[in-house]
Amino acid sequence: MSSHLSADHPAAQPPGHGSVEALISQTRRLRGDVDAVRRDSQDDTTDPRGRWQRALYDLALHQLTDLDAHLAQLRDGPAPAPRAGSLLSRVGSAEWNLLTDEAEWSAELFHILGRDPAAVPLSLDELPSLVLTEDRPKLTAMVTDCLVDGRPIDGEFRVVRPDGSVRTVHMMGEPVLDADGSTASMWAVLRDVGELRRSQRAVSETRDSLRHRPSPPWHGLLRFPDEGRPGLDLAAADLPPTSATGRRSRYGGWYDACPLGADGETLLTVGDFGRPETEGHGPAVLIGALRGLALAGALRGLALAGTRPAGLRDRLAELLGATALPPVDSAVYCGYRPDTHTLTWAHASGPVPLLFRGGTGRALPGQDGPSGQAEATLAAGDLLLLHTGALEPAAVEHLLSLAPRLTTAGSAGDGVRLVARELDGFPGRQDACVLMARVTS
């Protein structure tokens, strides 16, 4: 590969071995100091502020560890694959010759993009075929600015590997000029920054948890299975109303996932129950929490007894009718069998489930027939989104428009965070609950 410098710039001399060693020593001392402070800190990891502090310490240590690895690579030359879980990942390089339309890639770049090292490197015109559709304009603009205006490239985009996984790549580069000052080629270095971005999101999310209301208190008593259920990756959220609304009680809805019978089937439920038009303060909060606890407990008892989704509405109404609790306003009840990938569902005046598959989203058809419940067959990678009736049709349509991004989310948790961000401040939205289930096998 030719020199990665413009023709009118002299080649820079590599740093001396001793100066790099000194930087490595300083980095390792700083990393040791940060680790010592982290171990000596008494922050409570069960407290939101403590989790945020711990996430910041972890991110700082990750970055210092990878700075150490970067400096070692500078000293020693190209190295084998980095340690598992490293934020560093691999750093690949490429050069595209504009005169011959030839491309040269380093072995590391083939690895980053998940391509066979024996394959022919892609040309600049072919490179966008690896990039997520919504990120292609960004890559095109960066390359155009580099080749036409001589601007350095410095930006990120997401690539889809042959196995379907999505990686976030940071690309830096510049044009290579010939003797006449014309652009002869373009070189770039690319780095997989997915782990780094995930660590940064962890810091952001734990910081945001200091400012947002916690999950409903009854979920501390009836634990939501964050570790998932057979064949499913699960995540859910309780979303506050937008500032322009908010006359509904806090914790007026519920979400839950629990065993349905004893054969590995899972019951997924989301719904609202009747509530007075009161502000979410004082006794109203406690009443809402008690309602959620009683209702989720009743649903879990019925589910363990094997009550099918179509029968849950009537059985639940019978149980609530014998108490002072208000009836259910709307709900959706889903049963998922991982051995057959079968989803059965029924609803009580509530919204239908949304299914996201292959970059598209749609509402599942309603139940029909004497059973009173609908059936669908799911596949690995499918995302099922359940939500309460508080979401207006415009908000639901917006969720469906997120299909390309949701179907490439790394986990159900990533999907729920995307939904929460997109619905934050959505005009006229009441408080709502959402539950996402990602089929894993």
Side-chain angles (χ1 to χ4, degrees):
M1 185 176 293
S2 59
S3 172
H4 293 166
L5 290 169
S6 300
D8 56 351
H9 285 75
Q13 295 300 312
H17 187 276
S19 60
V20 176
E21 283 290 355
L23 290 173
I24 292 174
S25 298
Q26 293 173 20
T27 301
R28 292 176 179 175
R29 282 197 299 271
L30 180 57
R31 183 181 60 190
D33 291 344
V34 172
D35 189 38
V37 172
R38 183 187 66 162
R39 285 186 280 104
D40 291 342
S41 66
Q42 300 299 315
D43 50 305
D44 181 4
T45 57
T46 64
D47 173 73
R49 183 174 183 82
R51 289 195 298 270
W52 170 70
Q53 291 175 337
R54 177 64 61 177
L56 267 179
Y57 278 128
D58 290 343
L59 177 60
L61 287 171
H62 268 308
Q63 291 175 320
L64 287 169
T65 298
D66 288 337
L67 175 60
D68 181 13
H70 272 305
L71 293 171
Q73 186 174 353
L74 184 63
R75 178 193 61 195
D76 303 330
R83 60 184 175 81
S86 170
L87 304 185
L88 172 65
S89 187
R90 290 175 180 244
V91 177
S93 60
E95 184 166 338
W96 290 274
N97 190 309
L98 304 182
L99 304 179
T100 64
D101 202 30
E102 294 178 341
E104 294 184 47
W105 288 9
S106 69
E108 290 83 3
L109 183 55
F110 280 97
H111 176 84
I112 290 171
L113 301 179
R115 297 182 62 82
D116 183 355
V120 177
L122 299 185
S123 67
L124 275 178
D125 290 335
E126 296 169 324
L127 187 63
S129 66
L130 304 180
V131 179
L132 211 60
T133 302
E134 56 259 44
D135 288 359
R136 289 177 186 175
K138 183 192 305 183
L139 174 62
T140 300
M142 288 192 299
V143 171
T144 301
D145 289 345
C146 180
L147 298 182
V148 176
D149 300 327
R151 298 179 186 174
I153 288 178
D154 188 354
E156 294 181 8
F157 51 88
R158 290 165 296 172
V159 297
V160 182
R161 290 159 57 100
D163 61 4
S165 62
V166 177
R167 300 291 179 87
T168 300
V169 174
H170 184 201
M171 182 176 184
M172 298 181 67
E174 64 182 41
V176 178
L177 307 181
D178 60 19
D180 298 327
S182 301
T183 302
S185 62
M186 188 189 88
W187 71 268
V189 292
L190 297 93
R191 181 164 71 106
D192 183 345
V193 294
E195 289 294 336
L196 174 61
R197 296 296 172 255
R198 277 189 283 275
S199 290
Q200 290 173 332
R201 283 198 301 271
V203 172
S204 176
E205 288 157 10
T206 52
R207 179 194 62 219
D208 290 345
S209 69
L210 299 176
R211 300 196 295 261
H212 293 89
R213 66 178 181 171
S215 297
W218 48 273
H219 271 190
L221 300 173
L222 290 177
R223 187 171 180 81
F224 182 78
D226 294 315
E227 69 281 4
R229 287 280 303 154
L232 295 175
D233 172 28
L234 299 172
D238 184 61
L239 308 178
T242 57
S243 57
T245 61
R247 292 198 62 206
R248 306 184 75 180
S249 302
R250 291 175 65 184
Y251 309 124
W254 82 85
Y255 58 81
D256 200 16
C258 65
L260 177 56
D263 58 358
E265 191 170 4
T266 296
L267 173 69
L268 306 169
T269 67
V270 169
D272 286 301
F273 38 79
R275 49 195 153 176
E277 291 293 325
T278 56
E279 298 293 336
H281 299 288
V285 178
L286 178 59
I287 292 171
L290 292 175
R291 286 176 184 165
L293 178 60
L295 189 140
L299 272 173
R300 289 194 173 194
L302 292 171
L304 287 173
T307 305
R308 302 304 304 163
L312 282 172
R313 177 182 62 180
D314 294 338
R315 293 296 308 278
L316 192 60
E318 292 175 7
L319 288 176
L320 295 179
T323 71
L325 294 173
V328 170
D329 275 351
S330 64
V332 58
Y333 311 100
C334 298
Y336 178 70
R337 293 185 63 93
D339 54 345
T340 62
H341 291 166
T342 302
L343 178 78
T344 56
W345 67 274
H347 66 160
S349 304
V352 300
L354 306 180
L355 177 63
F356 297 87
R357 174 187 292 171
T360 63
R362 63 183 176 91
L364 289 178
Q367 63 261 34
D368 53 16
S371 68
Q373 63 185 20
E375 225 178 70
T377 301
L378 304 185
D382 283 356
L383 285 176
L384 187 71
L385 178 62
L386 310 182
H387 63 89
T388 49
L391 294 185
E392 296 295 326
V396 176
E397 286 299 318
H398 184 59
L399 290 181
L400 292 174
S401 74
L402 300 176
R405 297 165 65 188
L406 285 173
T407 52
T408 55
S411 66
D414 289 341
V416 165
R417 283 186 284 272
L418 172 60
V419 168
R421 287 195 301 270
E422 290 290 329
L423 293 183
D424 186 29
F426 201 87
R429 185 180 59 75
Q430 300 284 354
D431 54 333
C433 294
V434 295
L435 184 152
M436 182 168 286
R438 179 173 178 267
V439 181
T440 57
S441 60

